[in-house]
Amino acid sequence: MDIMKAAHVLGPSDVQIKNVEKPQVGSGEILVSMKACGVCGSDLEKIYGKYSQPSMRLGHEPSE
Ligand SMILES: [Zn+2]
């Protein structure tokens, strides 16, 4: 099982880095290894409780 790290919002102001299983890549898909990513406004809204989903991942702003 391949493992990667992911930043999860577990509740208001509660962010934890967890080891998670790497996603399986399907036909015509690629898996990109990110070294760094930004935190944008929608990530901050998740961190400060403006969304109510149980466990949300951060990091949709990739960087070089
Ligand atoms: Zn964004």
Side-chain angles (χ1 to χ4, degrees), residues 3 9 13 15 19 32 37 39-41 47 59:
I3 298 294
V9 178
S13 300
V15 178
N19 290 325
V32 177
C37 70
V39 175
C40 86
I47 293 168

PDB file of all heavy atoms in Angstrom, residues 3 9 13 15 19 32 37 39-41 47 59:
ATOM      1  N   ILE A   3       1.603   5.134   0.549  1.00  0.00           N
ATOM      2  CA  ILE A   3       1.086   6.132   1.495  1.00  0.00           C
ATOM      3  C   ILE A   3       1.525   7.528   1.065  1.00  0.00           C
ATOM      4  O   ILE A   3       2.613   7.713   0.546  1.00  0.00           O
ATOM      5  CB  ILE A   3       1.620   5.842   2.926  1.00  0.00           C
ATOM      6  CG1 ILE A   3       1.144   4.478   3.409  1.00  0.00           C
ATOM      7  CG2 ILE A   3       1.226   6.937   3.905  1.00  0.00           C
ATOM      8  CD1 ILE A   3      -0.337   4.360   3.615  1.00  0.00           C
ATOM      9  N   VAL A   9      -9.058  18.916   7.584  1.00  0.00           N
ATOM     10  CA  VAL A   9      -9.748  19.770   8.542  1.00  0.00           C
ATOM     11  C   VAL A   9     -10.758  18.884   9.263  1.00  0.00           C
ATOM     12  O   VAL A   9     -11.667  18.338   8.648  1.00  0.00           O
ATOM     13  CB  VAL A   9     -10.479  20.937   7.852  1.00  0.00           C
ATOM     14  CG1 VAL A   9     -11.230  21.771   8.874  1.00  0.00           C
ATOM     15  CG2 VAL A   9      -9.503  21.787   7.072  1.00  0.00           C
ATOM     16  N   SER A  13     -10.704  25.249  13.185  1.00  0.00           N
ATOM     17  CA  SER A  13      -9.320  25.455  13.636  1.00  0.00           C
ATOM     18  C   SER A  13      -8.612  24.165  14.024  1.00  0.00           C
ATOM     19  O   SER A  13      -7.627  24.204  14.771  1.00  0.00           O
ATOM     20  CB  SER A  13      -9.271  26.450  14.808  1.00  0.00           C
ATOM     21  OG  SER A  13      -9.806  27.687  14.405  1.00  0.00           O
ATOM     22  N   VAL A  15      -6.681  21.338  12.196  1.00  0.00           N
ATOM     23  CA  VAL A  15      -6.076  20.799  10.983  1.00  0.00           C
ATOM     24  C   VAL A  15      -5.033  19.773  11.385  1.00  0.00           C
ATOM     25  O   VAL A  15      -4.190  20.050  12.242  1.00  0.00           O
ATOM     26  CB  VAL A  15      -5.420  21.916  10.139  1.00  0.00           C
ATOM     27  CG1 VAL A  15      -4.743  21.342   8.907  1.00  0.00           C
ATOM     28  CG2 VAL A  15      -6.456  22.961   9.752  1.00  0.00           C
ATOM     29  N   ASN A  19      -1.429  10.304   7.314  1.00  0.00           N
ATOM     30  CA  ASN A  19      -1.005   9.402   6.252  1.00  0.00           C
ATOM     31  C   ASN A  19      -2.261   8.770   5.661  1.00  0.00           C
ATOM     32  O   ASN A  19      -3.098   8.247   6.394  1.00  0.00           O
ATOM     33  CB  ASN A  19      -0.088   8.305   6.801  1.00  0.00           C
ATOM     34  CG  ASN A  19       1.263   8.851   7.201  1.00  0.00           C
ATOM     35  OD1 ASN A  19       1.784   9.760   6.571  1.00  0.00           O
ATOM     36  ND2 ASN A  19       1.827   8.304   8.259  1.00  0.00           N
ATOM     37  N   VAL A  32      -0.048  13.191  -9.749  1.00  0.00           N
ATOM     38  CA  VAL A  32       1.015  14.182  -9.658  1.00  0.00           C
ATOM     39  C   VAL A  32       1.497  14.265  -8.212  1.00  0.00           C
ATOM     40  O   VAL A  32       0.694  14.402  -7.293  1.00  0.00           O
ATOM     41  CB  VAL A  32       0.516  15.572 -10.123  1.00  0.00           C
ATOM     42  CG1 VAL A  32       1.602  16.625  -9.961  1.00  0.00           C
ATOM     43  CG2 VAL A  32       0.038  15.504 -11.569  1.00  0.00           C
ATOM     44  N   CYS A  37       2.116  23.299  -1.758  1.00  0.00           N
ATOM     45  CA  CYS A  37       0.878  23.866  -2.276  1.00  0.00           C
ATOM     46  C   CYS A  37       0.509  25.076  -1.424  1.00  0.00           C
ATOM     47  O   CYS A  37       0.996  25.230  -0.305  1.00  0.00           O
ATOM     48  CB  CYS A  37      -0.254  22.852  -2.291  1.00  0.00           C
ATOM     49  SG  CYS A  37      -0.861  22.414  -0.677  1.00  0.00           S
ATOM     50  N   VAL A  39      -2.396  27.712   0.377  1.00  0.00           N
ATOM     51  CA  VAL A  39      -3.664  27.648   1.118  1.00  0.00           C
ATOM     52  C   VAL A  39      -4.474  28.845   0.650  1.00  0.00           C
ATOM     53  O   VAL A  39      -4.035  29.986   0.795  1.00  0.00           O
ATOM     54  CB  VAL A  39      -3.422  27.705   2.633  1.00  0.00           C
ATOM     55  CG1 VAL A  39      -4.732  27.763   3.392  1.00  0.00           C
ATOM     56  CG2 VAL A  39      -2.594  26.499   3.082  1.00  0.00           C
ATOM     57  N   CYS A  40      -5.625  28.612   0.057  1.00  0.00           N
ATOM     58  CA  CYS A  40      -6.408  29.711  -0.508  1.00  0.00           C
ATOM     59  C   CYS A  40      -7.606  30.054   0.386  1.00  0.00           C
ATOM     60  O   CYS A  40      -7.806  29.449   1.437  1.00  0.00           O
ATOM     61  CB  CYS A  40      -6.847  29.394  -1.934  1.00  0.00           C
ATOM     62  SG  CYS A  40      -8.368  28.470  -2.070  1.00  0.00           S
ATOM     63  N   GLY A  41      -8.386  31.010  -0.071  1.00  0.00           N
ATOM     64  CA  GLY A  41      -9.512  31.491   0.725  1.00  0.00           C
ATOM     65  C   GLY A  41     -10.516  30.409   1.062  1.00  0.00           C
ATOM     66  O   GLY A  41     -11.034  30.362   2.178  1.00  0.00           O
ATOM     67  N   ILE A  47     -11.148  25.816   7.294  1.00  0.00           N
ATOM     68  CA  ILE A  47     -10.461  25.812   8.591  1.00  0.00           C
ATOM     69  C   ILE A  47     -11.275  26.563   9.646  1.00  0.00           C
ATOM     70  O   ILE A  47     -11.362  26.141  10.795  1.00  0.00           O
ATOM     71  CB  ILE A  47      -9.054  26.429   8.452  1.00  0.00           C
ATOM     72  CG1 ILE A  47      -8.171  25.517   7.599  1.00  0.00           C
ATOM     73  CG2 ILE A  47      -8.414  26.668   9.817  1.00  0.00           C
ATOM     74  CD1 ILE A  47      -6.855  26.150   7.161  1.00  0.00           C
ATOM     75  N   GLY A  59      -5.415  21.807   0.124  1.00  0.00           N
ATOM     76  CA  GLY A  59      -4.304  21.725  -0.801  1.00  0.00           C
ATOM     77  C   GLY A  59      -4.674  21.558  -2.254  1.00  0.00           C
ATOM     78  O   GLY A  59      -4.117  20.705  -2.929  1.00  0.00           O
TER      79      GLY A  59
END
